[in-house]
């Protein structure tokens, strides 16, 4: 079996990285796959029967007001739940006998338990599951909220978020919002995570910049994950402080957030996209972690010790670079049995040979655009690992980075390179010679090798920001020559969006590889892009442009390969599209049950707590 490696892209805040774990709940049924073709499967926006033609500014003014009202309603509900007193909805809720309330958490029997093992239970409901369940007046809102919170651990403080992802003005005095609801409640012995979609109807009073009154709430979707910490299965426990807390690199660097460093190193701005590399640097049988850092901060080599502790060996090995390091790989390029190092700085790229406890420079690629990630594989099966380099963007003559144009389908990004390993630490750029120059001016964030078509050679998926992705199929001619061709559109994995990471796996265990692409889920992006007049006044913008913008905020993509060689977009059926602002991703069987799960790093820099939130 050939070895191939990809850098895992993360969004690093000092040393803090958000992580989303999506447990594999089994394969999609044939019926689900059949009905979930690409556009039809994407998260839907329910269109009202009649929509008043209002300006984008009016819609957003209403959204700001309704968002504040709904957040205040949740605060009132939570305060009343904790205190046991009656909730006071004055100025928030329309008192009406016609104001119907669907259940915020339906009855147990109405939902489906889709996963239950080792103390972890996942339940799902859809809109139809709540029909026929008790519906009361809006005055029963407290009771419905109490049912939502019934399984929360006693005494735990919930983190609740409500964000509108769609706004429709239906008449002069009524509007409808569709809202993402998230609740996270962590207790001493159990945790609850709830994700839902609400359809809220509002009385506007004929104006969009004054607080509207809530008329009704209806559940559209609901998912609940309950974890019993006392279970016997695999549980992820945060050991950062106990394992790294005493290390100088943690105290001086990793324990600081992005805002701390930006105020002291202004050049950083939001340059916190950096990778990690895992490998056994010193050959002691324990995996070590090489952590890339922003400019001015030294890179870190966390080396596992026989007693379970960790030390930072970056300085000892000459790897404590203070350049802006975007990614790295620990692999054996010279076949001598130890791990060498590939390092991508902001523009240049260097290879280092592992020589008796030191890393010596052996090869360098000149600056030709900002590099974001690396993927190694023996694409030509000659026994030597080759390297694919993802260049994100180019620079102008003054060294300034260019902007993506057009933003939803940019073709002015960096030029990626395939470096063939010739042996003796010599590498040749064979990008054009093997056909990888096709569609090769995208804004590439990550790449991953896999023999997706089962013909014995390695193909390459490239995840691109600001537009379409590439799937380069590898074929050999009668003369043995290797050629790649971009078949992403033809087989259904082009995924025109904001891709950050990619990973191959077999989550449905049918013996053929599927591919998961981490993109960006944005409630604000969905809300704005679905406005009736979005971008219509911009010259040259047509339906295809608008569709591209809408797709860009829809979240992550799981493409399942069918028997015909093409892929189906099954993210919603599998419950894996909402990975928030996603970066790197990888398949891994986290709970050792034989099914591949998905890990996604996510998050972005947030503003002050009192600042408006898109």
């Amino acid at each position: 079996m050939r070895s191939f490696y990809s850098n895992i892209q993360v969004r690093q805040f000092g040393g803090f990285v958000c992580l989303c774990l999506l447990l594999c709940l089994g394969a999609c049924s044939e019926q689900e796959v059949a009905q979930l073709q690409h556009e039809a499967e994407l998260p839907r926006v329910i269109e009202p029967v009649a929509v008043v033609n209002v300006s984008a500014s009016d819609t957003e003014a209403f959204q700001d007001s309704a968002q504040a009202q709904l957040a205040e309603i949740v605060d009132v509900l939570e305060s009343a739940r904790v205190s046991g007193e009656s909730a006071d909805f004055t100025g928030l809720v329309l008192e009406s006998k016609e104001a119907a309330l669907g259940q915020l958490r339906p009855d147990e029997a109405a939902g489906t338990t889709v996963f239950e093992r080792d103390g972890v239970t996942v339940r799902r409901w859809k809109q139809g599951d709540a029909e026929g369940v008790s519906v009361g007046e809006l005055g029963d809102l407290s009771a419905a909220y109490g049912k939502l919170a019934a399984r929360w651990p006693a005494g735990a403080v919930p983190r609740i978020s409500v964000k509108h992802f769609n706004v429709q003005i239906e008449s002069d005095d009524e509007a409808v919002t569709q809202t993402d609801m998230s609740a996270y409640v962590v207790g001493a012995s159990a945790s609850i995570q709830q994700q839902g979609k609400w359809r809220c109807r509002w009385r506007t009073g004929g104006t969009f910049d004054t607080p509207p009154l809530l008329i009704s709430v209806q559940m559209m979707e609901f998912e609940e994950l309950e974890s019993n910490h006392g279970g016997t299965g695999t549980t992820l426990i945060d050991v950062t402080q106990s394992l790294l807390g005493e290390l100088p690199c943690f105290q001086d660097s990793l324990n600081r957030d992005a805002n701390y460093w930006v105020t002291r190193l202004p050049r950083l701005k939001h340059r916190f996209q950096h990778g990690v590399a895992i490998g056994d640097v010193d050959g002691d049988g324990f995996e070590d972690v090489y952590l890339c850092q922003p400019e001015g901060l030294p890179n870190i080599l966390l080396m596992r010790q026989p007693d379970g502790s960790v030390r930072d060996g970056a300085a000892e090995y000459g790897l404590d670079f203070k350049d802006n390091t975007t990614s790295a790989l620990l692999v054996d390029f010279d076949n001598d049995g130890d791990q060498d190092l590939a390092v991508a700085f902001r523009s240049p790229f260097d290879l280092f040979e592992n020589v008796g406890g030191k890393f010596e420079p052996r090869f360098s690629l000149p600056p030709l655009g900002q590099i974001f990630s690396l993927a190694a594989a023996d694409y030509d099966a000659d026994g030597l690992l080759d390297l694919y380099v993802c260049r994100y963007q180019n620079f102008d003559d003054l060294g300034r980075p260019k902007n993506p144009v057009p933003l939803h389908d940019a073709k002015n990004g960096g030029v990626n390179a395939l470096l063939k390993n010739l042996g003796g630490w010599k590498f040749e750029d064979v990008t054009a010679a093997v056909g990888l120059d096709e569609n090769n001016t995208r804004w590439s964030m990550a790449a991953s090798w896999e023999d997706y078509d089962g013909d014995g050679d390695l193909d390459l998926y490239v995840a691109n920001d600001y537009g379409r992705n590439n799937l380069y199929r590898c074929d050999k001619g009668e003369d043995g020559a290797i050629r790649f061709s971009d078949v992403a559109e033809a087989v259904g994995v082009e995924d025109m969006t904001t891709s950050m990471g990619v990973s191959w796996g077999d989550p449905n265990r049918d013996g053929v590889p599927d591919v998961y692409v981490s993109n960006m889920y944005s409630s604000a992006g969905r809300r704005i892009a679905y406005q009736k007049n979005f971008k219509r006044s911009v010259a040259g913008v047509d339906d295809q442009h608008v569709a591209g913008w809408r797709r860009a905020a829809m979240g992550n993509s799981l493409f399942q390969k069918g028997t015909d060689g093409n892929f189906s977009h099954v993210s919603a059926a599998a419950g894996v599209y909402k990975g928030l602002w996603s970066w790197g991703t990888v398949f891994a069987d986290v709970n050792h049950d034989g099914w591949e799960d998905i890990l996604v790093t996510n998050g972005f820099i947030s503003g002050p707590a009192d600042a408006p939130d898109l």
Side-chain angles (χ1 to χ4, degrees), residues 50 133 184 239 355 360 386 408 437 532:
V133 182
Y184 304 92
V239 297
V355 184
E360 302 292 342
D386 311 296
H408 72 288
D437 55 341
K532 183 178 179 64

Side-chain angles (χ1 to χ4, degrees), residues 347-348 365-371 391-395 414-415 417 429:
S347 293
L365 192 69
L368 290 173
Q370 184 172 17
I371 297 172
R391 292 192 179 101
Y392 183 69
Q393 65 186 152
N394 287 319
F395 303 102
V415 177
D429 187 340

Side-chain angles (χ1 to χ4, degrees), residues 127 131 153 209 212 254 287 317 342 350 353 402 426 482 590:
Q127 185 175 356
E131 294 177 358
D209 55 0
L254 299 181
E287 298 278 33
Y317 278 84
D350 293 290
E353 181 184 2
K402 295 182 179 180
K426 294 181 180 179
I482 292 176
V590 176

Side-chain angles (χ1 to χ4, degrees), residues 80-152:
R81 182 184 74 89
V82 173
S83 67
E85 300 176 358
S86 299
D88 182 3
F89 296 116
T90 304
L92 299 171
V93 168
L94 179 69
E95 292 293 339
S96 170
K97 294 294 184 181
E98 299 177 357
L101 170 73
Q103 297 293 314
L104 300 183
R105 183 189 185 279
D107 293 335
E108 291 285 336
T112 303
T113 297
V114 294
F115 182 90
E116 189 169 16
R117 189 181 299 121
D118 298 329
V120 176
T121 302
V122 180
R123 308 176 187 89
R124 285 182 184 160
W125 294 259
K126 57 183 181 295
Q127 185 175 356
D129 295 335
E131 294 177 358
V133 182
S134 60
V135 176
E137 299 172 1
L138 200 54
D140 296 329
L141 185 57
S142 293
Y145 183 80
K147 186 175 180 180
L148 177 72
R151 300 185 71 90
W152 293 356

Side-chain angles (χ1 to χ4, degrees), residues 13-246:
F13 303 91
F16 177 73
V17 176
C18 300
L19 179 67
C20 178
L21 171 61
L22 305 171
L23 292 174
C24 181
L25 308 180
C28 299
S29 68
E30 293 182 2
Q31 291 82 3
E32 288 173 320
V33 173
Q35 69 180 2
L36 298 181
Q37 298 303 318
H38 183 71
E39 290 297 330
E41 182 273 346
L42 296 178
R44 295 293 189 90
V45 173
I46 300 176
E47 300 290 347
V49 175
V51 178
V52 176
N53 189 15
V54 297
S55 68
S57 60
D58 284 338
T59 303
E60 283 301 286
F62 170 77
Q63 126 69 23
D64 290 342
S65 185
Q67 179 79 31
Q69 289 286 88
L70 191 57
E72 179 65 21
I73 290 170
V74 171
D75 287 344
V76 169
L77 287 166
E78 177 59 18
S79 296
R81 182 184 74 89
V82 173
S83 67
E85 300 176 358
S86 299
D88 182 3
F89 296 116
T90 304
L92 299 171
V93 168
L94 179 69
E95 292 293 339
S96 170
K97 294 294 184 181
E98 299 177 357
L101 170 73
Q103 297 293 314
L104 300 183
R105 183 189 185 279
D107 293 335
E108 291 285 336
T112 303
T113 297
V114 294
F115 182 90
E116 189 169 16
R117 189 181 299 121
D118 298 329
V120 176
T121 302
V122 180
R123 308 176 187 89
R124 285 182 184 160
W125 294 259
K126 57 183 181 295
Q127 185 175 356
D129 295 335
E131 294 177 358
V133 182
S134 60
V135 176
E137 299 172 1
L138 200 54
D140 296 329
L141 185 57
S142 293
Y145 183 80
K147 186 175 180 180
L148 177 72
R151 300 185 71 90
W152 293 356
V157 178
R159 293 166 48 208
I160 304 174
S161 171
V162 285
K163 289 188 176 182
H164 302 316
F165 66 85
N166 186 259
V167 174
Q168 299 286 358
I169 309 300
E170 291 195 331
S171 67
D172 290 339
D173 61 355
E174 285 197 7
V176 171
T177 62
Q178 294 173 71
T179 305
D180 284 326
M181 184 284 299
S182 300
Y184 304 92
V185 194
V186 179
S189 60
S191 301
I192 290 282
Q193 174 180 308
Q194 296 169 326
Q195 306 277 354
K197 286 184 172 62
W198 294 348
R199 190 174 193 269
C200 302
R201 183 171 293 278
W202 302 86
R203 177 63 51 81
T204 67
T207 177
F208 303 127
D209 55 0
T210 57
L213 299 177
L214 180 64
I215 298 175
S216 65
V217 183
Q218 179 185 11
M219 186 203 75
M220 298 166 60
E221 296 176 12
F222 189 76
E223 177 180 282
E224 181 177 83
L225 184 152
E226 183 174 4
S227 174
N228 180 357
H229 299 171
T232 59
T234 300
T235 302
L236 299 179
I237 301 173
D238 186 354
V239 297
T240 309
Q241 187 67 43
S242 61
L243 194 62
L244 308 179
E246 300 301 320

Side-chain angles (χ1 to χ4, degrees), residues 587-601:
F587 281 97
D589 183 5
V590 176
N591 56 347
H592 307 296
D593 64 352
W595 294 88
E596 290 183 318
D597 312 304
I598 304 174
L599 290 93
V600 183
T601 54

